[in-house]
Each structure stands twice: as structure tokens, then as C-alpha cells.
Amino acid sequence: MRYRTLRVKSLHRTPQPRDSYHLLSRPQQVVIFRLRTGHNRLNQNLHRKLHVVPSPMCSCGEAEQDTAHILRDCRNHQVLREEIWPLPESLHNKLYGPVAALQRTTNYISRSGLQV
């Protein structure tokens, strides 16, 4: 009886539209989620929340290592950033934009060697 009920319910469900995030592969989703939420392995989070690194500063020495810094400003990754985003792109688009924008972001993280 229970099986029939589930089967009938599934016939009446309308498919939900998939946003850009849900069109990514699972590993790409994990990277984007961690960057969006700040629950990641960047120094700012590791220092403030987990107390496992001595400083929240980035290895470039210019600012705390957080999502905004690594995606926009870090001089250690400037060449790679200009290669992936030859034209300026907003932080919002890098984290919440269309599939292609999110894929560029995950590609950047992968190629930069950063662990998020």
C-alpha cells in the first residue's frame, strides 16, 4: 500500500527548475558552497573558527585570506585570475552567476592549488 502511495505522489510532482548551482558536478558544488558560506579551509576560517593556523592573513601579506580576497585581490594568483577572467567580473557573478561563471570559479580554485 505504501509503495502505491509513493508511486502515485511521484506522478503528480512537478519537476523543479534547476538553477546554475544544481547543474554543476558534485565536486564543483562543494567548492561553490564552501566559498559562498565561508565554511572552508581558507586562513580566515581556520584561524577564527578552528584556531588551527596562527593568523588569518593570506600568504601574500595584503589581507585576510577569505573568499573575496582570493577571488578578487590576491596578488599570488593575479596571473591566473586574469587568464580565467580577462574582463572584470563581479564577486556575486563568480559565486551566484550562470553555470559557465561558476565553472570558471571552480576551475580557478582547482588551478590555484588552494584547498577550500
Side-chain angles (χ1 to χ4, degrees):
M1 181 79 159
R2 180 174 163 84
Y3 174 72
R4 284 188 196 160
T5 303
L6 291 176
R7 191 168 146 199
V8 171
K9 283 183 180 179
S10 69
L11 294 174
H12 295 288
R13 282 191 200 137
T14 56
Q16 297 296 320
R18 298 182 74 181
D19 62 357
S20 300
Y21 174 80
H22 290 97
L23 295 174
L24 298 172
S25 69
R26 180 68 180 144
Q28 291 173 322
Q29 288 177 354
V30 170
V31 169
I32 295 297
F33 178 82
R34 289 178 177 176
L35 291 173
R36 285 177 177 180
T37 63
H39 295 276
N40 52 47
R41 297 180 197 152
L42 300 176
N43 284 351
Q44 184 185 53
N45 186 53
L46 293 177
H47 177 74
R48 293 225 168 107
K49 302 277 196 265
L50 304 174
H51 309 290
V52 295
V53 295
S55 168
M57 295 301 288
C58 180
S59 61
C60 73
E62 293 181 354
E64 292 186 359
Q65 188 185 48
D66 63 3
T67 298
H69 175 70
I70 63 165
L71 291 180
R72 290 189 312 210
D73 306 319
C74 183
R75 67 178 178 204
N76 292 347
H77 305 290
Q78 184 67 31
V79 173
L80 177 60
R81 192 168 37 254
E82 289 172 355
E83 179 185 325
I84 292 178
W85 295 289
L87 300 173
E89 192 165 339
S90 71
L91 181 62
H92 185 270
N93 201 48
K94 290 176 182 180
L95 295 173
Y96 297 95
V99 174
L102 298 180
Q103 288 173 331
R104 280 192 299 275
T105 302
T106 59
N107 184 29
Y108 170 77
I109 294 298
S110 174
R111 290 179 57 194
S112 71
L114 293 166
Q115 295 290 318
V116 296

